[in-house]
Amino acid sequence: MSLLVVLALLAGPPVVLLLLIGPPIHGWPSTEQVRAWVQQPLTEQTLTAALTIGAWLLWLLLAYTVAVRVLTRLRTTVGWLRRLPLPTPLQATASGMAGAAVFSVATNTVTIASPQPSPPLAAGMPEDSDGGSPIHEDTAASDDGILLAGGWLPNEVAGQVAAAAALVWLRRRRDYRPLPPGPHRREELDAAGLPPTVAAVQAAFADATAPSVAPEPSGSFAALVGALPVSGLGVSGPGTLSIGRGLLISALLAGHHLRTPTLITTRATLTSLLGGDAQALDRRLPQLTTVETIHDTTRLVESAPSPRIVLLLTKECDGYDVRHLADMAATAGGRVVVLGGWPAGPTWQAAPTGHLHDPLRPEKPGPRLCVLDQVVATDLLAVIVRPDPAPPAPPIPGPPPLPHVVPPKAQLPRQATRGEPRSRPDASSRRLRLRVLGEPTLLVDGEPLTIRRSAALQILVLLATNHPTGANTSQLADAIWPGVPRRSLTGRLYTTLSELRTVVRDASGMHVIEYTDDRYRLNPAHLNVDLWQLQAAIHHAASAVTNTTAAWQAVVDAYPADLAAGRIWPWLDPIREATRRHVIDACAALADAEPDPPRRLALLQAGLRIDPYNADLHARAHSALTTRGDHEAATELHDRYLRLLSHNGLDDDFPDSLSHSPSSTTGASRQ
């Protein structure tokens, strides 16, 4: 449009002047014409000539201005072209070859060129990519796995990590011993969140409706073994140690539920892969066996033939010994992997992305294995290592002390939404209710409001659990999208918040999310949340000195279901477990204070409905049934509990968890 306007201004005036008046100059004036103009300058003819000349001068000024601008733009463009870096002959040749390869894909079979052999490893040690080039992936290459900041996990391994993380929380629920509500509570370190890498893996399954279930351990191990050559494998290249850590974690995860070890390695190999903190792992990982030398490994495989993966370092290997060990392991269904060059066997090249390549068979692509750096591998070990046994808690004598004070995040004033009169009644504020105990639902006039984005629902629940402090942008992004660079989440977070605000405003005409002091908060004047009512009841029970039984019962009555039941958002587990423990404490305190045995048993059964995995509550209920003489019901309760633990993979150390005698609890000591 600008070009058309300029052309019209340049061509329009001359055409009009030429058509109406003619050329501006018909020749030089004669002597008579000059004398007549001097005698009478203001005639119609002279005025027309003056206006015509002025019009042509204005047009010339416009043409001059346009010409100057065009020349300036051309000079700038020429200068930029002179500074434009041109490819060198080598770069031009490489670009041409790449273009030819791209255009020939449709008609020709692509042949993978054999990579250049890696330089010899210094002192027999493999190369590692941790200090070199990072892992680079495109979207298509990550469709079959999860790309992390420090590695790559196949989908099967990622599913095992998510299932192991869920098992950690089930084990914590099983081992928790309810405490009498009081001001002196022990610090519950087992309720802390899992490492960031585990949270990032869990976030990949956050949209699932039920917790992820890992494949069968035997099938997982068979798939891992099937990806490796029967004759053993040497791994060399920049991704050697990263693949070694991936094999280590994959084998341990595959054997997490198995009763026999699935991985054998030397202590030197374990230290090289995981650092100096790896020496005590063997006693905390039943599926891991560490030995000192390769001869110890050979004797172990001979004495206990079972499918295992053996990890060794180059400097620890002798060609004949490794060949003999590989044959024995293959006979038992296992594999030997040598990290580094292996003169006596096949050696594949390892890329930092986890791809393996056999130089002798360049036409056949190799498998892609899990790759991890030390930080990520250590984080993933946290979900499969057994914690060190904690010292037994001392008996709690006498009646319960004063109710405990809720931690700072849960110390909330009593909410006026619990039926108390308001100083300024507002009918519209009672129309919105957020239900987070159970299935998270936002109700408008009693009708559920559809929230399309899962992240928007997470924001509502997260802000409800952090009332009244709220959360800033970084906290929201890190919680909902763990492991994703924060700089790429700003637009996504703002879009989610904007859509959530719009949906709620269109449905109710109110703003439930306010932004003050760089923090997002839920507006309690417009929104009623069931979790806030529970927290108010917990706070009231913690501060009550009289009628404590009614206060504890109010806590139980305000807990219809788990916090965001069925959701597996990584940030939710610590808050959900802390909330559940407060309710379990109230159930146990009510049972301890109840003199009537049938009523006491009913209260314990109510606690078991809240947390059917808790061993202490089962021990109390078992003791109550035994005291009543109902041994058949006590045996049935015990057997049903054993089946529940076995079904969820929690029966590995069950005898210790059930050995907590009810006599050590407050209520049982009074019974």
Side-chain angles (χ1 to χ4, degrees), residues 137-164:
E137 287 293 329
D138 53 28
T139 304
S142 300
D143 286 344
D144 55 349
I146 297 178
L147 184 64
L148 302 171
W152 180 83
L153 296 176
N155 284 329
E156 186 179 53
V157 178
Q160 293 167 349
V161 172

Side-chain angles (χ1 to χ4, degrees), residues 5 67 137 247 343-344 438 557 588 600 633 657:
V5 171
E137 287 293 329
L247 283 172
D557 294 341
R600 181 188 308 120
S657 63

Side-chain angles (χ1 to χ4, degrees), residues 251-253 255-256 258 260-264 285-289 384:
L252 294 178
L253 284 168
H256 188 37
L258 300 181
T260 57
T262 55
L263 181 71
I264 304 175
L285 288 169
Q287 61 270 41
L288 171 66
T289 303
I384 54 178

